[in-house]
């Protein structure tokens, strides 16, 4: 077994775990539990002849940020040992893993690929039953454990999803001497590396926590300016009275409509929820049906600054499209609507210096969908 590779795996796991500690400062995620089953391919040092044996376990996970998950879990597996020629008994190898993994999520869409690294403890047990030759062997060793791997999650809905991953696990095992020939796979203590393929069912403890409305942001104050006497317009006997046509363009059929994202969607989602549908019915559907002269409206999605620019841009576009699709389902012609996403580019508030949950609350006004008239037919 390559010891340098083992040291590299441990160092990588420690680096990823350290990054997780500060990754979720501006985020409130959800907990989930994941029962899992899988297969273990044992180290060749265990004389398994490429055998594959079953594994099972359970993990408790936490969605820390857009990029990071952490999972605490236990896994157990069992494999048979092929004894050397001349031994008539049987042997078993059992491994139990207890550890914590850091998952770096490459995406937070429905399909979520990730990389993982973790540390923990391993219990390796080698048991041989060969009474007539050497007697029974029962050796158990607890040691450190390190693993690295890759996989993906897939979200079926807000409550249920799945995870599949493949990982390589290093730990230390002890196998006693057994006479002139080894009655166990190897003599003494050494590092073994097993490969696991796991598939689990994710059950969320609710969706990520919704934020509350932000407290009003204080307006800047300025020194009072000297009072100026009001201007009195001079009358003239030949003054011409203005007509409505002289005043300017026709008044919009309705004012710009701004709806907060928390009203329309669940956290980090782009499906209009029932409460949001009711608001759209009153605020948009009724007004567009009452004003056929409005030929085109622009629907713009906005997000806050939490997360990457690319992710926020895509989320804002999906939310604007979701609003358009709902309005179309209520009888508004699709050609009367145009959508765009602005991501985090046009914030209403900045919240500089605010972090953690306070930042999520302060940035709430930035998470919104705006509907405004773009083309209106002139009516008499």
């Amino acid at each position: 077994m390559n010891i340098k590779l083992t040291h590299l795996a441990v160092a990588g796991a420690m680096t990823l775990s350290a990054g997780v500690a500060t990754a979720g400062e501006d985020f409130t995620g959800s907990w989930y539990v994941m029962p899992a089953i899988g297969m273990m391919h044992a180290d060749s040092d265990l004389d398994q002849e490429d055998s594959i044996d079953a594994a099972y376990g359970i993990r408790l996970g936490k969605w820390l940020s857009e990029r990071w998950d952490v999972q605490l879990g236990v896994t157990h597996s069992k494999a048979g040992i092929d004894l050397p020629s001349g031994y008539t008994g049987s042997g078993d190898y059992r491994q139990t893993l207890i550890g914590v993994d850091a998952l770096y999520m490459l995406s937070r869409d429905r399909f979520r690929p990730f990389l993982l690294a973790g540390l923990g403890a391993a219990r390796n047990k080698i048991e041989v039953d060969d009474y007539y030759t050497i007697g029974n062997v029962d050796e158990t060793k607890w040691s450190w454990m390190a693993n690295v791997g890759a996989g993906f999650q897939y979200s079926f809905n807000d409550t249920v999803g799945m995870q599949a991953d493949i990982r390589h696990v290093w730990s230390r095992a002890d196998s006693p001497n057994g006479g002139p020939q080894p009655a166990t796979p190897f003599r003494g203590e050494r590092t073994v590396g097993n490969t696991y393929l796991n598939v689990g069912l994710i059950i969320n403890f609710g969706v990520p926590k919704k934020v509350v409305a932000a407290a009003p942001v204080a307006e800047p104050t300025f020194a009072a300016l000297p009072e100026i006497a009001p201007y009195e317009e001079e009358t003239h006997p030949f003054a011409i009275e203005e007509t409505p046509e002289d005043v300017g363009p026709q008044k919009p059929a309705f004012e710009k409509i701004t709806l907060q994202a928390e009203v329309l969607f669940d956290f980090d989602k782009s499906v209009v929820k029932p409460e949001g549908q009711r608001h759209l019915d009153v605020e948009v559907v009724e007004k567009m049906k009452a004003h056929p002269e409005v030929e085109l409206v622009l629907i713009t999605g906005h997000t806050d600054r939490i997360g990457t620019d690319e992710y926020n841009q895509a989320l804002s576009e999906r939310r604007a499209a979701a609003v358009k699709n709902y309005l179309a389902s209520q009888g508004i012609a699709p050609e009367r609507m145009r959508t765009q996403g602005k991501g985090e580019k046009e914030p209403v508030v900045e919240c500089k210096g605010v972090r953690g949950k306070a930042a999520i609350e302060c940035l709430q006004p930035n998470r919104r969908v705006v509907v405004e008239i773009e083309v209106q037919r002139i009516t008499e």
Side-chain angles (χ1 to χ4, degrees):
M1 183 60 61
N2 191 330
I3 302 301
K4 291 184 178 179
L5 184 60
T6 303
H7 291 169
L8 180 61
V10 174
M14 294 178 67
T15 302
L16 282 178
S17 298
V20 171
T22 57
E25 293 179 350
D26 290 341
F27 196 85
T28 302
S30 61
W31 290 89
Y32 56 88
V33 65
M34 185 181 69
I37 59 173
M39 299 180 295
M40 178 191 70
H41 183 275
D43 192 303
S44 58
D45 286 346
L46 294 167
D47 290 342
Q48 292 306 295
E49 296 184 353
D50 296 327
S51 65
I52 297 177
D53 297 273
Y56 54 90
I58 189 168
R59 298 181 182 277
L60 178 65
K62 178 71 166 66
W63 182 0
L64 292 181
S65 74
E66 182 204 348
R67 290 300 183 191
W68 292 97
D69 273 24
V70 63
Q71 293 180 355
L72 174 66
V74 57
T75 301
H76 182 75
S77 59
K78 176 183 177 182
I81 294 176
D82 293 331
L83 297 181
S85 175
Y87 292 85
T88 58
S90 61
D92 287 326
Y93 166 68
R94 295 180 175 88
Q95 183 174 64
T96 301
L97 306 173
I98 303 173
V100 59
D101 297 324
L103 279 64
Y104 181 73
M105 314 301 294
L106 302 177
S107 170
R108 280 294 182 187
D109 292 331
R110 188 176 293 272
F111 177 74
R112 304 167 182 172
F114 63 81
L115 303 175
L116 71 87
L119 293 172
R123 177 180 181 269
N124 290 306
K125 181 174 183 178
I126 296 175
E127 186 176 19
V128 175
D129 181 10
D130 190 8
Y131 180 79
Y132 295 102
T133 307
I134 62 164
N136 295 333
V137 173
D138 189 347
E139 189 71 23
T140 299
K141 179 175 179 60
W142 281 94
S143 78
W144 55 264
M145 177 274 291
N147 70 167
V148 295
F152 69 89
Q153 294 179 353
Y154 186 83
S155 176
F156 298 113
N157 52 50
D158 289 340
T159 304
V160 179
M162 66 162 290
Q163 175 176 311
D165 64 73
I166 184 169
R167 64 184 70 198
H168 196 70
V169 181
W170 293 270
S171 62
R172 297 286 287 178
D174 192 13
S175 181
N177 295 340
Q181 296 187 65
T184 51
F186 52 84
R187 295 175 183 267
E189 182 180 314
R190 68 177 62 188
T191 298
V192 296
N194 300 327
T195 301
Y196 283 81
L197 175 63
N198 303 300
V199 178
L201 178 68
I202 296 175
I203 303 173
N204 291 304
F205 300 152
V207 297
K209 185 179 179 182
K210 300 174 186 178
V211 299
V212 298
V217 179
E219 295 291 337
T221 58
F222 302 91
L225 297 175
E227 184 175 355
I228 301 175
Y231 170 75
E232 294 184 1
E233 183 179 0
E234 181 181 0
T235 60
H236 193 280
F238 299 104
I240 301 175
E241 183 179 357
E242 290 183 333
T243 63
E245 289 75 17
D246 298 321
V247 174
Q250 183 172 273
K251 182 179 179 181
F254 53 84
E255 299 297 326
K256 179 168 64 176
I257 301 165
T258 300
L259 296 166
Q260 294 303 316
E262 282 75 12
V263 174
L264 299 176
F265 309 99
D266 285 326
F267 190 88
D268 196 44
K269 302 297 180 182
S270 56
V271 177
V272 182
K273 59 185 180 179
E275 179 187 356
Q277 294 175 1
R278 291 191 292 271
H279 278 81
L280 289 173
D281 289 341
V282 174
E283 298 292 336
V284 183
V285 175
E286 292 183 3
K287 292 177 181 178
M288 292 194 70
K289 288 183 176 180
H291 296 281
E293 69 273 18
V294 175
E295 297 182 340
L296 184 66
V297 295
L298 176 62
I299 304 170
T300 307
H302 299 268
T303 68
D304 59 27
R305 59 175 166 79
I306 300 174
T308 64
D309 293 345
E310 296 81 2
Y311 181 81
N312 288 333
Q313 178 64 32
L315 179 61
S316 67
E317 292 173 359
R318 292 199 305 270
R319 286 182 166 177
V323 170
K324 176 182 177 179
N325 291 338
Y326 176 75
L327 297 179
S329 71
Q330 300 304 301
I332 306 302
E335 57 269 21
R336 296 179 66 192
M337 298 176 283
R338 185 171 72 89
T339 65
Q340 67 176 1
K342 290 289 187 177
E344 57 186 81
K345 298 183 183 69
E346 297 182 359
V348 177
V349 294
E350 293 289 346
C351 300
K352 294 182 178 179
V354 184
R355 302 186 67 81
K357 293 183 179 180
I360 296 177
E361 295 179 359
C362 182
L363 293 169
Q364 187 266 345
N366 294 344
R367 301 186 292 271
R368 66 198 190 277
V369 174
V370 177
V371 181
E372 55 189 320
I373 296 174
E374 196 167 36
V375 177
Q376 178 175 324
R377 185 175 65 252
I378 297 176
T379 58
E380 296 182 359

